[in-house]
């Protein structure tokens, strides 16, 4: 694995191992591929490089995916053009969901004092190569992943805290209320004005 380059962030990294992945659909000319527990560990570790590229563009957020599979069923949905990965969404199972509603300026507030305790899917991270942003790829990939997971978007949780672009994106998808995923301390911090 090599260190992420500026070109990786702009165009998306070249990861030949994506050709070994199962195609689950397409977004335009891009192949939608799935990385889950059925993919050999050595391939998952190579594809995890894209999470390092994403983390470089968002250094305040942890990488989020290293190829490890746990009981939380981490899945990486990627969009690729040949060997180049141009976008991904990381999903996983979660047990704690907070019902939240949007306020002004992409701020949100709690609807209930306690969390919903149930097993369900969350989106932990979304990344799109900078050259392809603002093209609708993220929304199309979310739609494809939600359909593949056989859930409805309003039942999916969104890992907190959000980046400023993340808050705008989730609000566009779910304009009134959404489910947030976080431990109580992270939730408390996310609810505070910046």
């Amino acid at each position: 694995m090599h260190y992420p380059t500026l070109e990786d962030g702009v165009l998306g990294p070249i990861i030949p191992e994506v050709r070994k992945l199962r195609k689950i659909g397409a977004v335009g000319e891009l192949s939608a591929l799935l990385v889950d527990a059925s993919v050999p560990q050595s391939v998952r570790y190579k594809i995890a490089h894209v999470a390092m590229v994403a983390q470089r563009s968002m250094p305040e957020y942890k990488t989020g995916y290293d190829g490890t599979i746990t009981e939380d069923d981490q899945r990486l949905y990627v969009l690729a053009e040949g060997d180049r990965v141009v976008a991904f969404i990381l999903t996983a199972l979660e047990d704690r969901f907070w019902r939240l509603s949007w306020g002004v300026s992409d701020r949100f507030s709690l609807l209930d004092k306690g969390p919903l305790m149930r097993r369900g899917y969350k989106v932990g991270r979304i990344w799109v190569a900078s050259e392809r942003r603002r093209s609708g790829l993220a929304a199309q990939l979310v739609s494809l992943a939600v359909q593949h997971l056989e859930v409805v978007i309003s039942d999916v949780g969104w890992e907190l805290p959000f980046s400023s672009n993340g808050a705008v994106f989730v609000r566009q998808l779910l304009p009134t209320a959404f489910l947030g995923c976080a431990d109580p301390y992270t939730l408390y911090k996310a609810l505070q004005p910046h």
Side-chain angles (χ1 to χ4, degrees):
M1 189 176 306
H2 67 278
Y3 187 75
T5 65
L6 180 60
E7 180 180 304
D8 288 342
V10 174
L11 302 175
I14 293 173
I15 306 174
E17 287 77 10
V18 297
R19 293 191 184 267
K20 298 177 181 178
L21 301 178
R22 178 170 53 106
K23 184 174 179 178
I24 60 164
V27 173
E29 79 285 356
L30 302 172
S31 295
L33 309 164
L34 176 62
V35 183
D36 62 6
S38 69
V39 174
Q41 184 179 41
S42 61
V43 175
R44 292 195 315 265
Y45 286 165
K46 295 279 188 178
I47 293 173
H49 176 71
V50 72
M52 291 176 53
V53 172
Q55 198 273 332
R56 186 171 181 193
S57 68
M58 302 178 282
E60 65 277 17
Y61 296 92
K62 60 186 176 188
T63 305
Y65 182 78
D66 65 3
T68 303
I69 300 292
T70 69
E71 67 277 355
D72 293 331
D73 190 27
Q74 292 86 352
R75 297 177 185 205
L76 199 64
Y77 292 87
V78 300
L79 287 179
E81 184 173 54
D83 291 348
R84 190 176 295 278
V85 177
V86 300
F88 78 81
I89 294 175
L90 172 64
T91 66
L93 288 170
E94 179 67 54
D95 294 318
R96 181 187 352 226
F97 297 84
W98 302 91
R99 288 180 7 122
L100 302 162
S101 67
W102 291 106
V104 296
S105 301
D106 294 322
R107 299 299 313 149
F108 49 85
S109 60
L110 276 171
L111 288 172
D112 304 312
K113 290 188 180 198
L116 300 170
M117 301 301 289
R118 64 170 176 81
R119 195 84 163 142
Y121 285 102
K122 72 174 178 180
V123 171
R125 176 89 67 248
I126 299 173
W127 175 82
V128 177
S130 62
E131 185 179 77
R132 298 200 183 235
R133 291 184 187 152
R134 306 212 186 285
S135 63
L137 286 182
Q140 291 176 73
L141 187 53
V142 166
S143 177
L144 192 143
V146 166
Q147 180 181 357
H148 185 263
L149 293 168
E150 298 179 343
V151 295
V152 294
I153 191 112
S154 58
D155 287 341
V156 173
W158 300 85
E159 189 168 309
L160 300 172
F162 289 139
S163 65
S164 57
N165 290 338
V168 170
F169 179 77
V170 173
R171 190 168 192 166
Q172 287 173 345
L173 292 178
L174 298 157
T176 56
F178 68 99
L179 297 174
C181 297
D183 61 74
Y185 179 72
T186 302
L187 175 68
Y188 171 78
K189 286 177 53 177
L191 291 169
Q192 302 308 306
H194 290 60

